[in-house]
Amino acid sequence: MNNFDFYNPVKIIFGKGKIAELKKHIPTDAKILITFGGGSIKKNGVYDQVIAALDGFNVQEFGGIESNPHFETLMKAVEIVKSEKIDFLLAIGGGSVIDGTKFIAAASCYKGEDPWDIPAKHVPLESAINLGAVLTLAATGSEMNNGGVITKLATKEKLSFSSPILFPKFSILDPESTFSLPKRQIANGAADAFVHVIEQYLTYPVNSPVQDRFSEGLLVTLIEEGPKAYDSKTPNYDEYANIMWAATMALNGLIGVGVQNDWATHTIGHELTAFHGIDHAVTLAIVLPGLMTHLKDKRSVKLLQYAERVWHITEGSDEERIAMAIVKTESFFNRLGIKTRLGDHHVGQKTIDRIIKRFKDRQLPHIGMLPDIKIEDAEKILIDRL
Ligand code: NZQ
Ligand code: ZN
């Protein structure tokens, strides 16, 4: 196993009715800005629960954070934070709202000229406004990690940032807050969490049975619970709770320590969202089968382990078992109603050319964290997905 430091200070407050406990976790004299998205929290009662729980607190609000949150929108919130001297941000929503709020927290204290440099130049952050989260969509793990992804509308760039000072102080995870999710977002959540695990697991062996078996447990849980939640006519608390906790555990740092991480599927997927607005999870479901196929020889040891322990594939040659695991992976996404070909989303060679040019302009030595995917490999992976 590789050396590592592990640090995760996020307090998780999990379960039915837990939003009512908000008061305990925010200083009584805080000047709070609650941040949210396009209005789902006003329809499903989560907004009302938060407002009731914060009775007596000094609360202002900023709504309208879009999916794949825009830098341009978030900078409007930064102005409010500065002018109103806000000292606590409470994000209520899915990954986009939480990521956007992390950016607001950082940009509000940023002393440099252009806050876009936070993702574009990965500038180390010195300070940030404290933040907490009320999660309404199980998917990204943003509620328990220190990263975010934002999009600059003007240039169609989607870039990530992270900092040890951007962990939420706490996150409230009430599975009932996700009962109102449309099927598309249940599917997206299960698929995104699935690929988060894969990015930290399906690389090269370093003799890490703890991380591997945690990862396999999360993958099997998502395979079992995802389709059940997707199919059910009325939400089942336990299914939603299990998906929620699996998604949080998939990207809170735990399974990624001491092992080789990849993140190439995400790096390529972000470009598909940047150019075409395709849902984040859908981009991953498009790219991943191509990536697995392209790396089937180099990553064969982990692919065979994945085939056996996650999909129970034990018959056939190595090549056949790997091929079957890739088919099963793509079928899992399709089972959740996700279309996994670029053509299904009206994306063709022109976009591949734009993405590859962009990677070349950025002079990326490889895509993701490992040297086994160069720019030309990314091109082949995308062509395979046409
Ligand atoms: O905006 P509202 O009206 O709230 O509607 C949202 C949005 O339309 C809706 N929604 C959320 N909770 C709901 C609900 N609708 C009904 N009932 C509820 N309870 O769902 C839609 C999608 O929300 P969004 O937050 O965009 O989805 P998600 O959580 O999948 O987040 C996606 C973003 O997170 C980034 C992605 O790149 C993307 O920008 N990621 C963040 C990561 C991180 N911070 O660690 C890692 C991920 O890999 C990912 O990159
Ligand atoms: Zn993701």
Side-chain angles (χ1 to χ4, degrees), residues 23 59 74 80-81 141 206-207 239 280 285 300 323 332 335 337 367 369 375:
K23 250 184 188 164
V59 181
L74 302 170
I80 297 174
V81 170
V206 292
N207 196 353
E239 286 164 14
H280 170 64
S300 62
F332 169 65
R335 171 72 181 75
I367 308 301
M369 297 172 81
I375 295 176

Side-chain angles (χ1 to χ4, degrees), residues 192 196 266 280 284:
D192 189 23
H196 292 162
H266 273 70
H280 170 64
L284 307 177

Side-chain angles (χ1 to χ4, degrees), residues 125-143:
L125 299 176
E126 283 163 20
S127 59
I129 309 279
N130 286 336
L131 70 126
V134 175
L135 183 67
T136 66
L137 197 172
T140 64
S142 186
E143 64 279 7

Side-chain angles (χ1 to χ4, degrees), residues 296-356:
K296 65 182 165 39
D297 296 325
K298 286 184 182 151
R299 298 199 189 170
S300 62
V301 176
K302 274 307 207 42
L303 273 162
L304 285 165
Q305 180 178 321
Y306 168 70
E308 183 178 343
R309 294 197 195 163
V310 175
W311 294 109
H312 314 295
I313 301 166
T314 51
E315 307 276 315
S317 65
D318 287 4
E319 202 165 324
E320 284 165 348
R321 279 179 282 144
I322 289 172
M324 182 55 70
I326 298 171
V327 168
K328 293 253 186 203
T329 306
E330 188 164 358
S331 302
F332 169 65
F333 298 136
N334 297 149
R335 171 72 181 75
L336 293 168
I338 297 175
K339 295 199 166 80
T340 45
R341 288 275 165 186
L342 286 169
D344 297 328
H345 304 273
H346 315 292
V347 176
Q349 184 64 45
K350 207 171 135 201
T351 297
I352 298 179
D353 295 342
R354 289 171 86 187
I355 293 174
I356 297 308

Side-chain angles (χ1 to χ4, degrees), residues 27 85 109 117 150 174 251 275 307 313 326 334 341 380:
K85 302 199 170 20
C109 301
D117 288 345
I150 62 166
D174 178 349
L251 196 47
F275 284 126
I313 301 166
I326 298 171
N334 297 149
R341 288 275 165 186
K380 285 186 187 134

